[in-house]
């Protein structure tokens, strides 16, 4: 009887101690409420100063760690911009698409064929050496370009479905089929002009 009472007393003391530790941790969090609200005011003020530039910033998150305790505070910072003001992203997209649409380039083209026939291209399509396709470093995949051989004036329309060429000074890697129509399979390379067009029949 005496020993079990002693055990209960020890257990209650341990519980009291752990409660006291929890309160200390909680109080350490509570003490910095003032500094957190100051941080919130500063951050909100900073966020408002970007008012005309960003429309997709909804909140700012502050994470604090104390021992094993983590407190995360999210501060609302909804940015309102005038409805008639187009977003920065829309402006950039318009400029980028117009730039790419007017794309033209001159440089050396090479071709690739049998050794890659049947392999996957960067667009996920299977490479067909006889199809009218090409590899380019930066043009959007699945767009169409008109390629003209500067030596003989012949031109073809090809779909960009692969990436490359990645070595040498070449700007385009044509499929065997496209290179054959341009008359460059024997020489291996030729100077060409590239023009972005809207579709295969443009």
């Amino acid at each position: 009887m005496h020993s079990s009472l002693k055990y209960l007393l020890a257990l209650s003391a341990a519980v009291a101690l752990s409660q006291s530790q929890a309160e200390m941790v909680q109080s350490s969090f509570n003490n910095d409420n003032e500094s957190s609200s100051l941080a919130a005011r500063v951050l909100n003020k900073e966020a408002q100063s970007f008012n005309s530039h960003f429309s997709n910033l909804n909140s700012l998150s502050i994470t604090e760690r104390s021992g094993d305790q983590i407190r995360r505070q999210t501060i609302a910072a909804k940015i309102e911009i005038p409805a008639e003001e187009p977003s920065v992203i829309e402006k950039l997209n318009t400029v980028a698409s117009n730039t790419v649409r007017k794309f033209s380039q001159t440089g050396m083209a090479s071709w690739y064929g049998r050794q890659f026939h049947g392999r996957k291209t960067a667009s996920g399509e299977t490479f067909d050496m006889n199809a009218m396709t090409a590899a380019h470093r930066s043009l959007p995949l699945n767009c169409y370009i008109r390629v003209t051989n500067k030596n003989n004036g012949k031109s073809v329309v090809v779909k960009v479905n692969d990436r490359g060429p990645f070595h040498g000074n070449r700007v385009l890697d044509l499929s065997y089929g496209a290179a054959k129509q341009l008359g460059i399979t024997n020489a291996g390379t030729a100077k060409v002009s590239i023009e972005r067009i809207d579709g295969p029949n443009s």
Side-chain angles (χ1 to χ4, degrees):
M1 180 92 176
H2 182 68
S3 63
S4 56
L5 178 62
K6 192 173 174 184
Y7 172 74
L8 282 171
L9 285 169
L11 185 62
S12 64
V15 169
L17 181 61
S18 65
Q19 282 177 338
S20 158
Q21 284 173 328
E23 282 162 15
M24 280 169 66
V25 170
Q26 188 57 46
S27 98
S28 76
F29 280 152
N30 292 339
N31 288 342
D32 59 9
N33 271 351
E34 195 174 322
S35 61
S36 289
S37 61
L38 175 62
R41 286 199 300 276
V42 170
L43 288 167
N44 270 317
K45 187 177 177 187
E46 287 297 317
Q48 292 303 326
S49 74
F50 285 91
N51 204 25
S52 61
H53 300 294
F54 297 97
S55 59
N56 60 346
L57 182 63
N58 294 320
S59 64
L60 299 163
S61 183
I62 296 176
T63 304
E64 296 178 65
R65 184 185 294 274
S66 175
D68 292 333
Q69 303 291 319
I70 296 175
R71 182 181 68 170
R72 185 171 285 108
Q73 182 183 2
T74 301
I75 302 163
K78 182 67 181 168
I79 308 298
E80 299 296 335
I81 68 166
E84 67 274 8
E85 171 81 11
S87 78
V88 174
I89 298 297
E90 279 174 21
K91 286 179 185 170
L92 289 173
N93 280 342
T94 303
V95 170
S97 61
N98 286 342
T99 303
V100 170
R101 190 160 281 113
K102 296 170 187 167
F103 180 90
S104 63
Q105 187 178 27
T106 301
M108 295 301 289
S110 51
W111 62 273
Y112 62 130
R114 189 168 286 105
Q115 72 274 31
F116 292 96
H117 188 70
R119 292 192 193 178
K120 288 276 187 215
T121 64
S123 70
E125 293 177 350
T126 301
F127 176 63
D128 178 352
M129 62 184 274
N130 298 304
M132 304 302 287
T133 61
H136 192 274
R137 288 188 192 129
S138 58
L139 278 167
L141 290 172
N142 300 317
C143 79
Y144 289 88
I145 54 175
R146 180 177 288 108
V147 184
T148 304
N149 183 341
K150 303 284 271 183
N151 297 333
N152 59 18
K154 290 182 179 179
S155 70
V156 292
V157 171
V158 297
K159 182 167 79 168
V160 175
N161 71 346
D162 210 355
R163 289 292 179 226
F166 295 115
H167 48 81
N169 59 351
R170 299 189 302 278
V171 297
L172 194 68
D173 231 352
L174 294 157
S175 65
Y176 169 78
K180 189 176 179 184
Q181 285 203 26
L182 287 173
I184 66 173
T185 50
N186 289 337
T189 60
K191 190 173 184 181
V192 300
S193 63
I194 302 165
E195 179 194 0
R196 170 89 188 265
I197 57 174
D198 291 331
N201 302 315
S202 298

